[in-house]
Amino acid sequence: MANVGSDTYPAQCSSLRKGGHVVIKGRPCKIVDMSTSKTGKHGHAKVHMVALDIFTGKKLEDICPSTHNMNCPNVKRTDLQLVDIDEDGFLSLMDDDGNTREDINISSADDEVQTEIREKFDAAEDFLVTILSAMGEEKPTGTKVITT
């Protein structure tokens, strides 16, 4: 398993909410459904979570006592301007300070996002690509028109 030091923070199960993020089986996930069972004979209410992996879309489930802590991923969104796409599909992206990165491949994005990026690039539009990052993984998740 990857080193999950500063990539995550602990949160009590009962404080987690639908639409929030949680780590299940070592993967950063977005909670899509939650239910809490009543306290049983031995006293702990259980929280049942259904979540989708934010990078693969795979459905994961977990059950946890409501008083226990679970790890939550530090999820970050960054908007970077698209400069170029090379023949191998790597995006050349520039931040507000003029620093460029070329380590994110367009194939890591969902199909509709790949199409959106390619169409806007081919039309020579100036636009930003939104990069979602959590636990050492990154993925383009959308585009935004640059407004000046």
Side-chain angles (χ1 to χ4, degrees), residues 3-67:
N3 176 12
V4 273
S6 62
D7 291 339
T8 63
Y9 61 93
Q12 193 169 334
C13 260
S14 57
S15 72
L16 299 173
R17 296 286 171 256
K18 192 171 167 178
H21 294 93
V22 68
V23 177
I24 298 179
K25 297 185 178 97
R27 300 291 303 158
C29 300
K30 184 172 189 160
I31 301 167
V32 291
D33 192 31
M34 280 184 83
S35 58
T36 308
S37 66
K38 287 193 166 68
T39 51
K41 188 161 109 181
H42 299 291
H44 285 289
K46 297 263 195 291
V47 176
H48 175 244
M49 280 174 279
V50 179
L52 298 176
D53 187 311
I54 60 176
F55 294 112
T56 66
K58 194 173 147 195
K59 186 175 171 184
L60 295 163
E61 294 187 51
D62 202 3
I63 295 174
C64 168
S66 62
T67 55

Side-chain angles (χ1 to χ4, degrees), residues 52-140:
L52 298 176
D53 187 311
I54 60 176
F55 294 112
T56 66
K58 194 173 147 195
K59 186 175 171 184
L60 295 163
E61 294 187 51
D62 202 3
I63 295 174
C64 168
S66 62
T67 55
H68 286 205
N69 280 353
M70 283 191 80
N71 281 328
C72 297
N74 284 314
V75 179
K76 200 172 102 189
R77 280 189 171 78
T78 317
D79 290 330
L80 300 169
Q81 184 174 352
L82 182 69
V83 180
D84 194 16
I85 303 173
D86 73 12
E87 63 274 358
D88 297 325
F90 282 94
L91 304 175
S92 180
L93 301 162
M94 185 171 61
D95 66 14
D96 294 339
D97 300 327
N99 302 318
T100 56
R101 322 179 30 175
E102 296 176 352
D103 57 347
I104 297 172
N105 197 301
I106 193 167
S107 63
S108 61
D110 297 334
D111 292 343
E112 63 270 13
V113 176
Q114 285 186 44
T115 306
E116 193 180 333
I117 291 171
R118 288 220 182 263
E119 282 175 357
K120 286 186 175 183
F121 181 71
D122 292 342
E125 289 182 41
D126 281 338
F127 64 99
L128 300 172
V129 177
T130 303
I131 305 296
L132 182 75
S133 54
M135 297 174 65
E137 284 186 64
E138 294 182 305
K139 166 184 172 175

